[in-house]
Amino acid sequence: MVLGCLVRSPTGESTSWPAMSCQSVVLAARGSPTTNPYVLMRPAINSLSHSSLSYSHRPRSCFYFTVVSSAQFTSLRRPPPPPSGRRAASSTQMAAAARSALASAGRAANEAVSFVVFMVLDVVEVLLCVVYKVADYMLEGAWRPCYCSSSSTAAGAAASGKIVVSERGGSKVVSMLSSTKLHLEDISDTLYTRPSVLAGAASATTRSPSSRRGGGGVRAPPATTVTVHSAIVQMLRGKIGADGDGKQHKPYPSPRWSDCHCTNCNPADAGRLFVHVEAPPGGAATEEDVLFIHGFISSSGFWTETVLPNVSPEARARRRLFAVDLLGFGRSPKPADSLYTLREHVEMIERSVIKRHGVKSFHIVAHSLGSILALALAVKYPAAVRSLTLVAPPYFPVPRGEVGTQYVLRTVAPRRVWPPIAFGASVACWYEHLSRTVSIVLCKHHRLWELAFRVFTLYRVRTYLMDGFFCHTHIASWHTLHNIICGSAGKIDKCLEIVRDQLTCDVTIYHGRDDELLPVQCSYAVKAKIPRARVKVVDGKDHVTIVVRRQKELAMELEEIWNRKR
C-alpha cells in the first residue's frame, strides 16, 4: 500500500499527494534511484513525453524507473544524510579555510596599521632628535652626538688629523693619534644605517630583479670604503678628553642628566663588574666553577633569584657559582663614553671574574644575549670551558647576499605592532631617541616604579625582574643591542665553527616553544652548526618562563650536565 507520492523539482521544492491506490515510481537523474530521487505516480508515467521530462535541463540524462513500497517512500521524503566521516572531514576543511582567511586578514591589517604607526614614529624621532640636542646642550653644556647625523669616511677623518685608521692583522683599528683604540668590526652599521619606513619601502620597490633573487636585503658597501660615524669620533674624544690636534674636549658626565643617579646604578668601583659569588661552605677547595650570564636588559638577579637557590648542596660543595651583571646593566658600571662592544663585554667579564677569582675550569650557563658572550668566552678559553648551556640563543643564519647586521635587525625588530613584544623590540632597535625617552620614563625613575608595584601588590610579589629591566642606561642598552645582537651576525658563525671543530665540551640548548621574541628555529640553527649539541624544546614556555617558572627542573638538569663525564 502506497501512502502518497512525492515530486521533487530541480530547484529542490517537493510536493506530496494524498495516499492513492496506485504504485509509485522513482525517477532519478544521473545515478541510482537512491540519489536525487523523484517520485511520480504510475499513471503519470504513461502520459509523460520526452519533452515533459526536460525540466532536468540535462538532455543526456539517464532516467531510472523503480517501483517502491510505502517504507521506501517514507525514507525518500528526506534526502539521506552524508556519511559521518565525510561530514566531519568537510567541517574540518571549512574550519581550516576560515582560520586561514582570518589569519590572512589579520596579517594584512597588522601590516597596514604597522606602516602607519611606524611612519608616525619616524616623524616623532626627528622631532625628538632636535629636542634632545637642545636639552643636552642646556643641561650638560655641550652638544652630544647621535646617530642621526651623517657618517664620515676614514680617509677624510684621517686627513683632518682627528682619527687614524690602520690595518693590524686584518682588523681595522681606529685611534685618536694612537691613544684610544677601537676595532671597527666591533661596531655594527645598524647604529647609523636604519632607513625609515618610507625609505625602506621605496628601496624595496626599486631593487633590480637580480638583487631580489639574491635575497632582497641591504647590500654591503664597497670593500674599499671605511666608514667612521661622527658619533663614534665624538665618543673617542670624550673618552680621552681631547681631540686629535690636542684641543681639550669635555668628557661625558657619568651619569648623564637622563640617567638614574642612585648608588645601585652608579657603583663606586667603575673598573669591575658586580659579581654575585656563592662559594662552598668553610672555604673548601673547588673542582670547577659555574658562570651564569644574563640576557638583554636583565641582571644577575635573573639567576640568583631562580636557579641558584635550587642548586643542591652536593653541587655547591664542589663548585663556586658566579652570576655577573653585564657592563651597563644592574649594579655594574655604566660608562657614558663606552660603545659596549662584544670585546668590551668579554674583557670586563675576564677582569671581574676569571682573573680576579682565579677561575681555571668552568661551566657557562647563559640566557638570550648572554649566549653570544658565552660563545666568545668559550672560543677564548677552549681548554677551560667544561660545558656550554645556552637558553634561547639569538642566532639567525644570514642568507647569501644579505648584509648580516641588517638582516638580524629586520628579523629581531620587524616593525610590527603585533605581537607586543615585537613592537617593543622594534621601538628599541629602530628609534634611538624614542628608546631614550622610554629609558628616561622607566629607568631614570625606576625606584618610583618599583615602589608603586610593591604597594599595588601589597609587597607579595618579588621584583627582581623589574630590578634588572629598569637598572640600565640608554647608552648601554642601545649600543649593546646593536653591537652584540645585530653586530655579531658574522662573528657568531665563526664562534660556532670553532666550538664544533676545536672544543670537546658538551653543548646543551633550551628553548621555549611559545617564545615570540626568538623563535625555536634559532636553537635548531645552532644545532645545525654544532651537530653534537642537544636541543630541548619546552612546551608552554616563552622567552622568560623557560627559566623563571621551571627553575627547579632546570637546576636539576644543569647538575646532570655538570656531572656528566667527558
Side-chain angles (χ1 to χ4, degrees):
M1 183 67 180
V2 177
L3 299 178
C5 299
L6 174 69
V7 179
R8 180 171 299 157
S9 67
T11 60
E13 300 176 355
S14 59
T15 304
S16 298
W17 273 265
M20 300 179 66
S21 58
C22 64
Q23 292 180 324
S24 297
V25 177
V26 174
L27 173 61
R30 290 189 182 276
S32 64
T34 57
T35 61
N36 195 20
Y38 297 91
V39 182
L40 300 176
M41 296 165 45
R42 177 179 289 276
I45 296 299
N46 298 328
S47 62
L48 289 177
S49 62
H50 180 74
S51 60
S52 64
L53 295 177
S54 61
Y55 62 79
S56 63
H57 301 288
R58 297 185 179 96
R60 297 183 182 179
S61 299
C62 179
F63 299 94
Y64 298 88
F65 298 88
T66 305
V67 178
V68 298
S69 63
S70 58
Q72 290 175 311
F73 173 78
T74 303
S75 63
L76 288 173
R77 297 195 64 177
R78 292 186 303 271
S84 58
R86 187 185 305 172
R87 187 189 306 115
S90 176
S91 301
T92 303
Q93 292 174 358
M94 293 178 61
R99 287 194 298 268
S100 178
L102 288 175
S104 300
R107 284 192 295 268
N110 190 19
E111 292 179 2
V113 173
S114 299
F115 183 83
V116 175
V117 169
F118 284 98
M119 190 165 57
V120 173
L121 293 182
D122 287 338
V123 177
V124 175
E125 177 76 359
V126 175
L127 298 177
L128 286 176
C129 178
V130 178
V131 171
Y132 282 125
K133 282 187 178 298
V134 174
D136 291 342
Y137 185 80
M138 294 180 62
L139 297 174
E140 296 179 352
W143 298 105
R144 295 305 177 190
C146 69
Y147 293 99
C148 299
S149 57
S150 59
S151 302
S152 305
T153 60
S160 64
K162 295 178 181 178
I163 64 174
V164 176
V165 180
S166 59
E167 295 279 352
R168 298 182 183 179
S171 173
K172 295 180 177 62
V173 180
V174 185
S175 61
M176 296 290 293
L177 293 182
S178 302
S179 297
T180 301
K181 300 179 179 62
L182 181 68
H183 294 257
L184 278 185
E185 64 269 20
D186 291 345
I187 306 299
S188 173
D189 66 321
T190 57
L191 282 169
Y192 47 84
T193 306
R194 289 169 283 109
S196 64
V197 173
L198 287 177
S203 63
T205 56
T206 57
R207 286 196 305 266
S208 62
S210 60
S211 66
R212 292 192 188 102
R213 287 193 299 267
V218 178
R219 299 296 160 188
T224 57
T225 301
V226 178
T227 301
V228 182
H229 198 272
S230 57
I232 298 175
V233 177
Q234 293 291 333
M235 286 283 190
L236 292 176
R237 289 174 177 173
K239 187 181 287 289
I240 65 174
D243 285 341
D245 54 6
K247 181 180 178 180
Q248 293 299 315
H249 189 277
K250 186 178 180 179
Y252 289 141
S254 185
R256 301 185 65 179
W257 70 268
S258 55
D259 300 332
C260 178
H261 289 64
C262 71
T263 55
N264 280 344
C265 293
N266 300 275
D269 188 356
R272 285 195 293 257
L273 303 177
F274 172 82
V275 182
H276 174 91
V277 185
E278 294 187 9
T286 59
E287 302 175 3
E288 55 193 16
D289 302 312
V290 183
L291 173 60
F292 292 86
I293 307 176
H294 64 79
F296 185 58
I297 53 173
S298 186
S299 69
S300 57
F302 184 79
W303 298 111
T304 60
E305 300 290 336
T306 57
V307 174
L308 266 65
N310 292 282
V311 176
S312 67
E314 294 78 9
R316 293 173 179 274
R318 300 169 49 194
R319 304 173 180 92
R320 290 180 298 179
L321 307 179
F322 298 95
V324 60
D325 281 353
L326 295 178
L327 182 66
F329 298 90
R331 285 172 281 182
S332 286
K334 304 169 182 63
D337 57 0
S338 174
L339 289 171
Y340 295 89
T341 62
L342 180 65
R343 194 183 305 268
E344 288 179 277
H345 278 285
V346 171
E347 288 176 353
M348 285 296 286
I349 294 176
E350 287 182 288
R351 184 189 312 165
S352 306
V353 181
I354 297 177
K355 294 180 179 179
R356 183 183 182 186
H357 295 277
V359 176
K360 302 299 182 182
S361 176
F362 59 101
H363 304 267
I364 304 180
V365 182
H367 175 250
S368 190
L369 174 143
S371 300
I372 301 175
L373 304 180
L375 289 169
L377 282 170
V379 169
K380 196 163 188 178
Y381 295 91
V385 175
R386 303 292 302 275
S387 71
L388 274 173
T389 303
L390 311 179
V391 183
Y395 174 54
F396 299 92
V398 181
R400 180 174 298 180
E402 290 271 11
V403 176
T405 54
Q406 295 291 331
Y407 174 79
V408 174
L409 173 63
R410 296 194 308 272
T411 304
V412 173
R415 283 199 282 204
R416 292 290 181 267
V417 297
W418 190 266
I421 195 169
F423 178 74
S426 299
V427 172
C429 290
W430 286 93
Y431 300 104
E432 178 182 2
H433 302 294
L434 271 174
S435 60
R436 185 181 183 185
T437 303
V438 174
S439 180
I440 292 174
V441 173
L442 296 181
C443 301
K444 181 178 175 63
H445 306 93
H446 69 91
R447 290 172 294 179
L448 177 62
W449 290 108
E450 291 167 5
L451 176 61
F453 182 81
R454 292 190 182 100
V455 173
F456 180 77
T457 59
L458 302 178
Y459 290 82
R460 294 177 180 177
V461 180
R462 302 166 72 182
T463 61
Y464 63 90
L465 290 177
M466 295 180 62
D467 297 340
F469 184 81
F470 290 144
C471 292
H472 66 272
T473 63
H474 170 254
I475 291 177
S477 60
W478 177 256
H479 288 89
T480 298
L481 178 62
H482 284 275
N483 287 335
I484 295 187
I485 292 184
C486 297
S488 63
K491 305 180 186 71
I492 194 170
D493 282 310
K494 297 178 181 178
C495 291
L496 292 172
E497 292 171 0
I498 294 175
V499 172
R500 177 193 63 199
D501 299 333
Q502 301 181 18
L503 277 70
T504 59
C505 63
D506 285 342
V507 180
T508 307
I509 307 170
Y510 290 91
H511 214 116
R513 192 175 298 278
D514 296 341
D515 194 332
E516 294 182 336
L517 181 62
L518 300 175
V520 179
Q521 286 73 17
C522 292
S523 291
Y524 288 124
V526 174
K527 180 173 176 57
K529 278 285 187 178
I530 309 177
R532 73 173 184 274
R534 301 178 179 89
V535 178
K536 181 175 181 179
V537 178
V538 183
D539 294 329
K541 302 299 179 183
D542 56 25
H543 195 68
V544 175
T545 57
I546 184 66
V547 173
V548 172
R549 294 184 181 176
R550 60 181 305 270
Q551 52 263 35
K552 293 183 179 180
E553 296 86 345
L554 182 58
M556 295 175 60
E557 293 165 354
L558 289 175
E559 291 185 29
E560 293 178 0
I561 295 172
W562 302 337
N563 294 329
R564 197 173 293 155
K565 294 184 178 181
R566 298 158 186 87

